[in-house]
Amino acid sequence: MRDGLRALTSRGRSFLASGVAAMLMAFLLGENDLFRIGVLVTALPLLAAMVVARTRYRLSCARRLDPARAEVGGEATVTLRLENVTRLPTGLLLIEDTVPYALGVRPRFVLDRVESRGIREIDYRVRSDLRGRYTIGPLSVRITDPFGLVELTRGFTISDTLVVTPQVVALPHVRLSGEWTGGGDSRTRSVAAAGDDDVAPREYRQGDDLRRVHWRSTARHGELMVRREEQQWQSRGALLLDTRRYAHRGEGPRSSFEVAVSAAASIGVHLAHEGLGLRLVTDQGAEHLTDTGLSWSLLDTLAVVRHSPARSLELGVSALRQGGGDGLIVAVLGSLDPEEARELARLRHSGITGVAVLLDVGTWDGGEPGSTENYQAVQAVLAGYGWRIVRLPAGVPIASVWQDAANRGRYALSPAGGAA
């Protein structure tokens, strides 16, 4: 009853005050009819409070997101499924779901009545222009009486997560020589390339394909033997993303930082679909990516990446150097000085393809593409060490310039280590 009294609405409190005032005036004036009216008006909100407080609706709630990952600017549909699991029908229900401000206003719905064992499904859409991981829920249900005198709120604890990933654009296929190195399961080399020793059978190991069992050798040795006619190789590469705050210009979805994140996502997904075993590195060091669903893991990581306060690429370059075994390095870079470019450029050597996606951050300040001397110096340093340069000014999609990744640098590295 105490909960019911606390749940009185403004209308309910007005009824209660009016009824008490009517009874007092009736007592002072000796008007029995006015007293009966006062009793009725006072009893109405009290009875409503008692009924609502004693009502034990048992509702189950489930939420479904379609899709659970949405690109920036894309929409996702949220479906709420409410079920009345009791034998009593519900009264008027006011449904409100908790949604972050970035996804829009809080959705509110009214259900007149849910019969016993009845099910109701409610759909609404959310949309965000900002990357991130957003929690949707919990759901709250407000129970009211038919007269609107009492309103009692009850909530669920269940919530779901919507991941808003960077925009990914399809890139044209570009042959990047040197990208297939390392060890794993995705690529095979023939017997001619592997040598005669690999033709000889070896003992069976757990996980070997039974189609490779060499039955003649199995009969001779008395145990399962398999052919070593193939070596399994996996393409490996690294993706470096420059997240330093001072290296980027602009604010909001059109800033150079957001363009860099979108470019990194597009390149990473493109290479992952081509079979590349990719690792992600930022100026803060290596990022952890799961082995399964590589492109989804990459997008989930990039969805929450933020500016870093770092002033140099030292940690990122060190992480690239420690990883080893990469046949391809793709660096998505903001503004950097020639010395930083030189430290990065030295990672490329024979057998490694280096691709530098240089964001011409000066164009975010209204300048002409490649107009600054610093940008031209960085471009010359990277090209001098054999890196392939992809220039990305403001307003230009990465798909339209990705073909430049097929072009080698204009300068070759001399044996003495300088640009020839």
Side-chain angles (χ1 to χ4, degrees), residues 2 15 40 75 90 101 110 120 161 189 195 243 281 290 323 343 350 355 387:
R2 190 180 298 110
F15 266 65
L40 176 63
E75 287 188 343
T90 70
Y101 176 77
V110 177
R120 297 289 186 275
T161 300
R189 298 178 65 186
T243 65
V281 178
T290 59
E343 290 296 322
S350 178
V355 179
W387 283 67

Side-chain angles (χ1 to χ4, degrees), residues 138-208:
L139 181 74
S140 63
V141 178
R142 289 183 290 176
I143 305 171
T144 66
D145 66 290
F147 303 104
L149 302 176
V150 180
E151 183 178 280
L152 192 63
T153 302
R154 295 175 180 174
F156 296 87
T157 59
I158 184 173
S159 61
D160 294 273
T161 300
L162 174 67
V163 179
V164 180
T165 62
Q167 184 182 22
V168 176
V169 298
L171 301 180
H173 174 74
V174 175
R175 178 61 182 170
L176 302 173
S177 59
E179 57 186 310
W180 310 116
T181 62
D185 300 328
S186 67
R187 298 283 171 178
T188 60
R189 298 178 65 186
S190 63
V191 177
D196 295 336
D197 292 339
D198 287 334
V199 179
R202 59 165 174 82
E203 67 279 2
Y204 173 83
R205 299 170 187 167
Q206 185 175 2
D208 285 338

Side-chain angles (χ1 to χ4, degrees), residues 145-369:
D145 66 290
F147 303 104
L149 302 176
V150 180
E151 183 178 280
L152 192 63
T153 302
R154 295 175 180 174
F156 296 87
T157 59
I158 184 173
S159 61
D160 294 273
T161 300
L162 174 67
V163 179
V164 180
T165 62
Q167 184 182 22
V168 176
V169 298
L171 301 180
H173 174 74
V174 175
R175 178 61 182 170
L176 302 173
S177 59
E179 57 186 310
W180 310 116
T181 62
D185 300 328
S186 67
R187 298 283 171 178
T188 60
R189 298 178 65 186
S190 63
V191 177
D196 295 336
D197 292 339
D198 287 334
V199 179
R202 59 165 174 82
E203 67 279 2
Y204 173 83
R205 299 170 187 167
Q206 185 175 2
D208 285 338
D209 190 347
L210 292 177
R211 291 174 296 182
R212 294 173 55 198
V213 173
H214 194 270
W215 296 108
R216 184 176 300 175
S217 299
T218 297
R220 186 186 312 114
H221 292 85
E223 59 178 336
L224 279 177
M225 306 291 290
V226 296
R227 297 187 300 272
R228 291 194 296 181
E229 61 186 18
E230 292 182 346
Q231 285 185 337
Q232 304 294 330
W233 286 65
Q234 181 178 12
S235 52
R236 293 180 56 184
L239 176 62
L240 171 65
L241 174 62
D242 185 359
T243 65
R244 298 171 298 163
R245 179 178 295 276
Y246 99 101
H248 292 279
R249 303 290 184 273
E251 297 292 338
R254 296 185 179 181
S255 65
S256 65
F257 177 67
E258 292 300 326
V259 171
V261 174
S262 177
S266 301
I267 295 170
V269 170
H270 174 74
L271 295 177
H273 288 172
E274 292 194 349
L276 189 74
L278 194 67
R279 61 192 184 101
L280 177 64
V281 178
T282 69
D283 50 276
Q284 297 293 294
E287 298 285 343
H288 174 70
L289 299 180
T290 59
D291 293 333
T292 58
L294 179 61
S295 60
W296 287 124
S297 177
L298 174 68
L299 291 177
D300 287 348
T301 302
L302 292 178
V304 295
V305 70
R306 294 293 180 261
H307 282 294
S308 78
R311 300 288 295 181
S312 73
L313 290 173
E314 181 179 356
L315 292 178
V317 172
S318 177
L320 288 174
R321 185 179 295 111
Q322 292 174 2
D326 298 318
L328 172 67
I329 299 177
V330 179
V332 183
L333 305 168
S335 175
L336 68 162
D337 56 50
E339 185 57 35
E340 291 174 333
R342 190 170 290 106
E343 290 296 322
L344 175 64
R346 288 171 180 164
L347 294 176
R348 201 209 73 80
H349 53 76
S350 178
I352 294 181
T353 299
V355 179
V357 180
L358 291 178
L359 273 78
D360 196 351
V361 296
T363 58
W364 269 265
D365 292 333
E368 294 295 329

